[in-house]
Every structure is written in C-alpha cells, then in structure tokens.
Amino acid sequence: MDYYIVIPAHNEEAFISLTLQSLISQTHLPKKVVVVNDNSTDTTAEIVLAFAKENPFITLVNKTSSAIHLPGSKVIQAFHKGFETLDDNYDVIVKLDADLILPTNYFETIIRHFEKDPSIGMAGGFAYIEKNGEWVLENLTDKDHIRGAFKAYRKECFKQIGNLKPAMGWDTVDELLSKFYSWKVITDDSLIVKHLKPTGANYNKTARYKQGEAFYTLGYGFAITAIASAKLAMMKKKPLLFVDYVKGFWKAKAAKTPLLVTLEQAKFIRNYRLKKMKEKLF
C-alpha cells in the first residue's frame, strides 16, 4: 500500500527537521510528503528544501494566511492546499504535524493494520510528551481516539467523510463520520509518537470559546456538550475552561452557526456519544 503525507507547518524551525528525519527513516517509506509552509517567518522553508534536495519524494508548497492562530481552520486550510497538489495514486492519506518524532516502524505498522482488515478506515498511535526527562502519555483524549497530530485514513474512508473540515472539531468529526459510514477507527498503543510541542500551547481566549462552538457544530446538543466540557476542563486541569466552553456553545447556537454534519449524522453522533458515556458509567 502506498501512502502520502501532508504536513501543515507554521514557524516550525525548531522541530521540523526531527519530523522529516523520522519520516525518511521509516521502514516503509512514504511515496510523497508535501510540507505546506503556512506563512512562516523563520527558516522552516529552507530546512524543508534541504531535505527535499536529498529526498525527491518531499516537496514544499508555500501558503499565505493570517498570523492569528485559531485551532482547526488554519491548519486544515493548509492541509487542503497541500492535498490539492497530490494525485489520486495513494491507498492511505496522512495528515501530520511538524513537531513529531515517529518510531521507524510507525507506517509499516499502520499499513499492516489497513492491509489486515479492509473495514479499518482510520488508524494511529499515541502521543507522548516530555515531562521531567521522561516521555509520558499526553493524557488529553480517550484511548480510542486518534490525535489530530497524526491521522492516517484509508482513501475510500477519507473520500466518504468528505475530506477534512476546516473548523475546530475536525479531528473528532472525522472519526464520528467514519463510524457513521461503518468504518473502524483503531489505535495501536505500541506506536509511541513523541509530541515535541504540547497541544494548545498557543491558544487564546477566542480559541477557548471555539471548543464550545466545535461541540455545537458536531451536533452534540447541550447535555452532551456540558459533560464533554466538564471532562475536557478536568483533563486539562483547568476547571474554569468549562465556563468558556459552555459560553462558546451558546454563542454558536445564538449565531445559528452551521453544523459540520447533516441532521441525520448529528442524530447518530448524539446517540453514539450517549452510548459511550453510559458504557463508561456502568
């Protein structure tokens, strides 16, 4: 199976060489890697071009955008820009962050999962961050969720869910829609991905409201949003974020923000989330 990778990158000179080095060291090499230099003001582009010179499967695409960092929309717009440059001759498409170190067998293992079970639509490992000199699990998500930093999609699944949505919540709606279309989403805890820059390090107040807006646009409804907000705020050890998330939900509802899903999909998502919540309680 052939896989293509798209890496959105904004001012990643500190990390991107480590990410690219881990890609060219893979036991199963990618057919194509597109790095989208999204308005960087540092040496990100030069570093990528140096790698591209030695590794012809790596290419650089430049994109201009605003300097404001809003989670979701900016990074996925950059992903789309890179994806547009690719042909259709892939079996698996990967969205990757520019601040990761992947184990050398990462994609060999991911591809093996896809080959073994044709009903798998998405696959990924686990993010670890450095704390006091040790690599520990970045405890922001459930074990059955693939982090947005490293998403691998079977082509048929990727097309069926309609590419990635340029909005916060894109890395939840992709999995929920995969399940809506009866694809399996699997994680492999043997694949330890070193995440060099903790998630959400650059987010501001507007971005915090965006999380509540994301819950609204996923079609969660208020009850599920309240539970999900409480859980996320506690996981981040910042209980007051709960208030921001709930405010964001009501603001989106008042503004009649369009949903990322159809009404039928929203109903499926609510039922699915409620089922998962009940399983954890009982």
Side-chain angles (χ1 to χ4, degrees):
M1 284 180 108
D2 292 335
Y3 68 99
Y4 290 175
I5 298 175
V6 179
I7 305 176
H10 170 71
N11 288 348
E12 294 286 3
E13 66 180 5
F15 306 117
I16 197 159
S17 60
L18 296 168
T19 302
L20 293 175
Q21 187 59 49
S22 76
L23 289 182
I24 64 172
S25 308
Q26 290 295 307
T27 50
H28 183 145
L29 284 171
K31 268 283 186 288
K32 293 186 181 181
V33 176
V34 179
V35 181
V36 182
N37 173 35
D38 188 8
N39 230 39
S40 296
T41 53
D42 64 2
T43 59
T44 295
E46 289 84 336
I47 293 166
V48 177
L49 288 172
F51 271 89
K53 204 173 172 185
E54 302 294 320
N55 305 277
F57 58 86
I58 298 173
T59 54
L60 178 77
V61 173
N62 288 303
K63 180 183 188 300
T64 50
S65 67
S66 80
I68 299 165
H69 180 79
L70 276 182
S73 55
K74 194 173 186 291
V75 74
I76 297 305
Q77 282 162 5
F79 172 86
H80 287 168
K81 177 92 175 174
F83 182 70
E84 283 162 13
T85 68
L86 293 167
D87 58 45
D88 206 38
N89 301 324
Y90 63 92
D91 303 295
V92 172
I93 185 78
V94 181
K95 182 261 169 207
L96 210 63
D97 278 3
D99 59 350
L100 307 170
I101 299 175
L102 301 153
T104 53
N105 68 332
Y106 187 86
F107 285 108
E108 181 188 342
T109 309
I110 291 291
I111 295 299
R112 204 182 303 129
H113 282 300
F114 282 121
E115 285 176 339
K116 206 165 66 182
D117 185 349
S119 67
I120 291 172
M122 292 174 63
F126 283 95
Y128 280 66
I129 53 170
E130 197 174 7
K131 270 192 182 169
N132 308 320
E134 282 187 43
W135 290 93
V136 297
L137 185 66
E138 189 174 17
N139 187 27
L140 278 180
T141 48
D142 294 330
K143 288 278 175 118
D144 58 355
H145 170 67
I146 303 165
R147 296 298 306 277
F150 40 84
K151 295 271 198 174
Y153 307 83
R154 188 185 295 274
K155 177 162 74 174
E156 294 80 4
C157 172
F158 182 78
K159 290 192 167 181
Q160 199 165 22
I161 66 172
N163 202 314
L164 307 183
K165 316 282 185 200
M168 190 169 179
W170 69 268
D171 60 336
T172 301
V173 77
D174 60 347
E175 293 184 12
L176 293 167
L177 287 178
S178 297
K179 290 178 168 114
F180 176 79
Y181 291 114
S182 302
W183 292 100
K184 285 183 196 162
V185 175
I186 64 126
T187 53
D188 185 331
D189 58 12
S190 75
L191 296 174
I192 293 171
V193 180
K194 293 177 176 176
H195 199 192
L196 303 171
K197 196 168 61 186
T199 302
N202 303 329
Y203 296 174
N204 55 22
K205 187 82 170 175
T206 320
R208 300 218 295 259
Y209 286 143
K210 283 270 174 195
Q211 181 64 67
E213 181 185 306
F215 289 149
Y216 174 79
T217 58
L218 289 168
Y220 275 16
F222 182 67
I224 295 172
T225 293
I227 298 165
S229 297
K231 183 182 166 191
L232 191 57
M234 296 314 281
M235 281 173 104
K236 291 187 175 184
K237 297 185 171 64
K238 292 179 181 172
L240 288 177
L241 281 177
F242 172 79
V243 180
D244 289 336
Y245 296 159
V246 169
K247 273 186 187 167
F249 173 88
W250 289 116
K251 279 176 116 172
K253 191 172 171 68
K256 293 188 168 63
T257 307
L259 298 186
L260 292 176
V261 293
T262 65
L263 292 176
E264 185 193 0
Q265 289 166 346
K267 189 180 173 186
F268 167 86
I269 286 167
R270 282 194 298 278
N271 290 337
Y272 176 79
R273 290 313 303 249
L274 281 169
K275 182 168 140 260
K276 295 298 278 185
M277 285 169 181
K278 282 175 187 164
E279 279 171 12
K280 282 176 183 163
L281 283 171
F282 305 112

